[in-house]
Amino acid sequence: MTPIHFSKSDLVFGGIAHSAGDAASHDSRLGELPNWNLADLYPSQNGPEFLGDLEKAKVEAASFQDKWKGKLEAACTQTGATGLGQALHEFEGLEDLIGRIGSYAGLTYYGDMTDPAKGKFFADISAAITDIAANLLFFGLELNRVEDNLLESAMQQDAAAGHFRPWIEDLRKEKPFQLDDRIEQLFLEKSQTGAAAWNRLFNETIASLRFPVDGEEVPLEAALDKLQEPDPETRRTVAATIGKVFKDNIRIFTQITNTLAKDKEISDRWRGFKDIADSRHLSNRVEGEVVDALASAVKAAYPRLSHRYYKMKARWLGMDQLNYWDRNAPLPETPAQLVPWEEARQIVLSAYQDFAPEMAAITQDFFDKNWIDAPTRAGKAPGAFAHPTVPSAHPYVLVNYLGKPRDVMTLAHELGHGVHQVLAGKQGALMCSTPLTLAETASVFGEMLTFRALLAKTKDKAERKAMLAQKVEDMINTVVRQIAFYEFERKLHTARKDGELTSEQIGELWLSVQQESLGPAIRISEGYECWWAYIPHFIHSPFYVYAYAFGDCLVNSLYAVYQNAAEGFQQKYFELLKAGGTKHYAELLKPFGLDATDPSFWDKGLSMIEGLIDELEALDKAD
């Protein structure tokens, strides 16, 4: 199943996006908000279409194993119906079918994670897919045992096999870390009662938490939203409430974190990974030293980015030092703006249209064909994501739309993912998925297009200052905080090797990286030590977070090329998106004159953030 790409622009308070809870979905000022139409995948979970495909997947996966297991080496010497190309074609078809089934079950569940019936449906289908996948597990393992020269000959002699060269070459990178077939099957089957089960427990625990705010019991999203209120006392009391609820439930989050960290350590040890993040680097197809260079560059930039900005913000808010709950408080100049859905739609479409009509045309489908789920509601997955589903269908976008300017940026971000997924889908089920090194490119670029379009139309000095400040905060949340999260994960997984960690120990690790990254202008006081608990990336995708910083810095450099480029940038940009997972990021960046393996590359991206802070400082001095 292809990966969900969670929003980066929503990582304001921790690691997940935020929405305003049940009541906000009834705000008539937003206009009519769309609900997605999952019938494009299946009309219903009990209908003949879904049940028929589920049975078809079971039968065809078993037949595929009977037909090809133990015969792939021989297939490399043949073409046509008995050749490797045919086997790959059939395997891809099964991947698309299984991915469609899994996507439908997942999206149904994310629509309401507190509904027991939907939870059972998701769990049952996940288990069925695992059983089906057990019949296909042999394929990659056996293919990796074929000698290099024989496999190369097959790709040269059989055009059908040669078509899948990028997928095969990616598969070969996994070869040093694959285990005996029976052990691999055990890992696969036990994932249902291992990592997957703990992930579900985390999801449903977060979705069920309630926070007393203004006399109501509200979900986490509604409580987090209050941290953007102008009133400092509201922010203080809500932050205390959030911290208390986290602390009251910290035992379960500590258990989940310890278990999954140990589970990962066992898997990494068996597979032979040396560093705790190596498995993520491998799946991202990025070299560890490149990530190290990124992390080092960002950490070196803390003083001139986050430290400097928050010192300015404290002065704007009339404080010597910001409290941790003031970090995302609105500036006094920030207009009390609510953006109706239709206006948000036009803002994003207009920005995309100005860049490339093809980009706007693809985005239009998301609005016109109900590929977006926008309202907040009880039990719905928090935040925002784009799910590519499978090439035979189309992507879906989930947001929790409240009408705030940040929500417009989130919409632009997720639709950037959506455009990327539509274009990459033409590569087919095996090669459409983009590694995280480039998966955030289109989303962050789309967000930047939207921001720049809005900024260009802003003539009021105070409004411009507020927009720039919000953008700088989003970029700090994306780059600085995500690298801090990455450092936190490194510390946590390293410490876990020496034994189970207490809640207090995890909290100490959390506070250490937060203070370092946020700087002396932020006062981190009692109550914040448990805020690591709700960040889903730590649970679902360990070490995922650096991809946001990677993507933001990369896009900053890419956008600079766009601003100075002659005609032809758009075409090269679309070629990058259409490539999906068929090319290494270094090859895809070459036409733009960019080299992410150069350690100085990251300083170029960081300099754009610094430039925006310079502009804010100049506006401040001009007052």
Side-chain angles (χ1 to χ4, degrees):
M1 216 168 106
T2 44
I4 293 176
H5 294 298
F6 293 94
S7 171
K8 72 94 198 172
S9 59
D10 292 316
L11 304 183
V12 173
F13 300 106
I16 65 172
H18 51 281
S19 58
D22 308 346
S25 61
H26 304 297
D27 192 334
S28 60
R29 295 175 299 168
L30 298 178
E32 186 176 351
L33 299 178
N35 294 283
W36 55 26
N37 176 23
L38 298 184
D40 289 354
L41 292 171
Y42 295 102
S44 73
Q45 62 192 57
N46 295 314
E49 297 88 353
F50 180 79
L51 296 177
D53 271 2
L54 184 60
E55 183 60 27
K56 178 182 178 183
K58 293 176 182 177
V59 171
E60 291 192 357
S63 297
F64 181 85
Q65 180 175 232
D66 290 341
K67 179 177 179 181
W68 294 105
K69 188 173 184 180
K71 301 171 186 175
L72 293 185
E73 184 172 320
C76 287
T77 65
Q78 302 173 49
T79 59
T82 56
L84 179 62
Q86 178 63 26
L88 286 160
H89 174 72
E90 292 177 16
F91 183 72
E92 182 175 56
L94 278 165
E95 286 288 303
D96 192 282
L97 176 61
I98 296 166
R100 177 184 283 262
I101 294 166
S103 295
Y104 178 71
L107 294 175
T108 299
Y109 171 65
Y110 296 132
D112 185 356
M113 298 191 299
T114 59
D115 183 335
K118 290 179 179 177
K120 173 177 167 51
F121 174 64
F122 178 62
D124 288 347
I125 297 306
S126 297
I129 287 175
T130 300
D131 291 341
I132 293 168
N135 287 319
L136 304 177
L137 183 63
F138 80 92
F139 189 70
L141 299 173
E142 185 176 327
L143 197 57
N144 262 346
R145 288 195 290 269
V146 175
E147 293 294 330
D148 289 345
N149 59 348
L150 184 57
L151 197 54
E152 177 62 33
S153 175
M155 289 188 285
Q156 290 183 14
Q157 300 299 320
D158 183 356
H163 167 75
F164 292 98
R165 177 182 289 274
W167 182 82
I168 292 172
E169 290 179 346
D170 256 1
L171 179 69
R172 300 297 268 190
K173 293 172 184 174
E174 308 275 353
K175 184 177 179 178
F177 309 101
Q178 74 180 37
L179 303 171
D180 175 83
D181 289 18
R182 293 285 290 171
I183 298 175
E184 291 286 0
Q185 185 171 352
L186 179 65
F187 272 35
L188 174 67
E189 293 188 13
K190 284 190 70 66
S191 67
Q192 299 175 67
T193 54
W198 289 99
N199 272 260
R200 182 182 170 193
L201 176 61
F202 173 86
N203 289 341
E204 295 181 6
T205 302
I206 284 290
S208 65
L209 290 181
R210 291 296 178 265
F211 301 78
V213 176
D214 296 335
E216 296 182 66
E217 294 288 323
V218 302
L220 173 62
E221 297 83 358
L224 290 174
D225 188 66
K226 291 290 184 181
L227 295 178
Q228 294 185 84
E229 289 293 315
D231 177 39
E233 182 59 19
T234 297
R235 298 194 299 268
R236 185 192 69 79
T237 56
V238 169
T241 295
I242 293 172
K244 182 180 184 306
V245 173
F246 286 164
K247 190 171 184 178
D248 290 345
N249 292 273
I250 203 64
R251 182 170 172 270
I252 191 168
F253 292 117
T254 300
Q255 181 70 21
I256 292 169
T257 300
N258 270 294
T259 302
L260 288 175
K262 183 61 177 178
D263 182 79
K264 184 179 185 303
E265 186 273 326
I266 293 170
S267 178
D268 285 355
R269 176 160 39 85
W270 273 74
R271 294 190 181 283
F273 289 110
K274 303 301 182 188
D275 184 78
I276 50 179
D278 276 352
S279 59
R280 175 62 58 195
H281 301 334
L282 177 64
S283 67
N284 288 348
R285 301 301 184 248
V286 63
E287 301 77 15
E289 55 268 26
V290 172
V291 178
D292 291 343
L294 165 64
S296 296
V298 173
K299 290 173 70 176
Y302 285 171
R304 64 181 193 270
L305 298 181
S306 50
H307 298 187
R308 177 186 172 204
Y309 173 76
Y310 289 131
K311 183 177 179 181
M312 291 168 56
K313 184 169 184 177
R315 187 174 70 252
W316 296 336
L317 295 180
M319 301 177 179
D320 294 328
Q321 194 178 28
L322 296 171
N323 297 294
Y324 71 84
W325 56 79
D326 298 318
R327 191 169 53 81
N328 291 291
L331 301 187
E333 297 90 344
T334 303
Q337 183 182 7
L338 187 141
V339 185
W341 178 258
E342 181 58 29
E343 184 179 342
R345 174 179 176 273
Q346 290 302 325
I347 287 170
V348 176
L349 285 174
S350 176
Y352 282 16
Q353 176 73 29
D354 289 345
F355 174 71
E358 181 183 354
M359 194 168 175
I362 295 171
T363 306
Q364 187 80 48
D365 281 342
F366 282 81
F367 291 103
D368 293 349
K369 298 180 180 179
N370 284 27
W371 297 355
I372 305 174
D373 194 88
T376 60
R377 58 178 176 268
K380 179 179 175 180
F385 63 70
H387 192 318
T389 72
V390 289
S392 63
H394 58 75
Y396 283 93
V397 161
L398 179 146
V399 294
N400 283 277
Y401 190 78
L402 303 172
K404 295 193 174 182
R406 269 198 174 108
D407 294 328
V408 179
M409 292 298 111
T410 296
L411 182 63
H413 180 99
E414 298 308 333
L415 288 169
H417 275 311
V419 169
H420 195 173
Q421 291 159 357
V422 168
L423 292 171
K426 295 176 175 61
Q427 297 292 347
L430 293 185
M431 297 184 291
C432 64
S433 183
T434 307
L436 288 182
T437 43
L438 288 176
E440 294 297 330
T441 303
S443 52
V444 178
F445 194 83
E447 193 177 343
M448 181 67 81
L449 289 172
T450 305
F451 166 73
R452 290 292 182 181
L454 287 174
L455 189 66
K457 296 174 183 176
T458 304
K459 306 304 178 186
D460 181 78
K461 183 179 175 182
E463 188 177 343
R464 182 179 182 86
K465 178 181 176 181
M467 284 188 65
L468 282 169
Q470 184 168 291
K471 184 59 177 174
V472 167
E473 289 182 16
D474 285 345
M475 295 173 104
I476 287 173
N477 287 326
T478 301
V479 177
V480 170
R481 281 182 61 72
Q482 300 317 304
I483 290 302
F485 289 167
Y486 176 63
E487 293 299 316
F488 167 71
E489 287 189 279
R490 292 197 64 87
K491 288 187 175 185
L492 186 147
H493 283 263
T494 299
R496 180 64 179 90
K497 290 182 177 181
D498 295 328
E500 187 165 295
L501 301 173
T502 65
S503 304
E504 290 75 19
Q505 287 174 312
I506 298 175
E508 288 170 6
L509 297 176
W510 169 255
L511 292 179
S512 70
V513 298
Q514 293 304 300
Q515 191 66 75
E516 179 188 14
S517 64
L518 298 175
I522 300 280
R523 181 187 299 111
I524 295 181
S525 51
E526 185 178 356
Y528 194 57
E529 65 276 2
C530 296
W531 284 56
W532 56 269
Y534 78 103
I535 300 174
H537 300 70
F538 298 161
I539 303 301
H540 302 322
S541 307
F543 303 106
Y544 180 107
V545 289
Y546 73 72
Y548 295 121
F550 194 109
D552 199 278
C553 289
L554 189 155
V555 166
N556 288 343
S557 298
L558 193 63
Y559 197 85
V561 174
Y562 167 56
Q563 288 179 308
N564 300 311
E567 291 185 14
F569 179 92
Q570 285 85 342
Q571 182 179 350
K572 288 190 286 187
Y573 178 72
F574 276 106
E575 288 304 312
L576 181 153
L577 301 187
K578 290 175 182 176
T582 62
K583 296 181 180 179
H584 190 267
Y585 70 89
E587 183 181 353
L588 290 170
L589 292 178
K590 265 185 185 176
F592 303 97
L594 300 176
D595 180 9
T597 63
D598 181 353
S600 66
F601 170 82
W602 303 112
D603 291 325
K604 297 175 186 175
L606 295 169
S607 68
M608 180 174 283
I609 308 175
E610 193 171 3
L612 292 178
I613 298 175
D614 289 342
E615 186 175 348
L616 271 172
E617 193 168 52
L619 285 171
D620 196 35
K621 289 178 180 178
D623 287 341

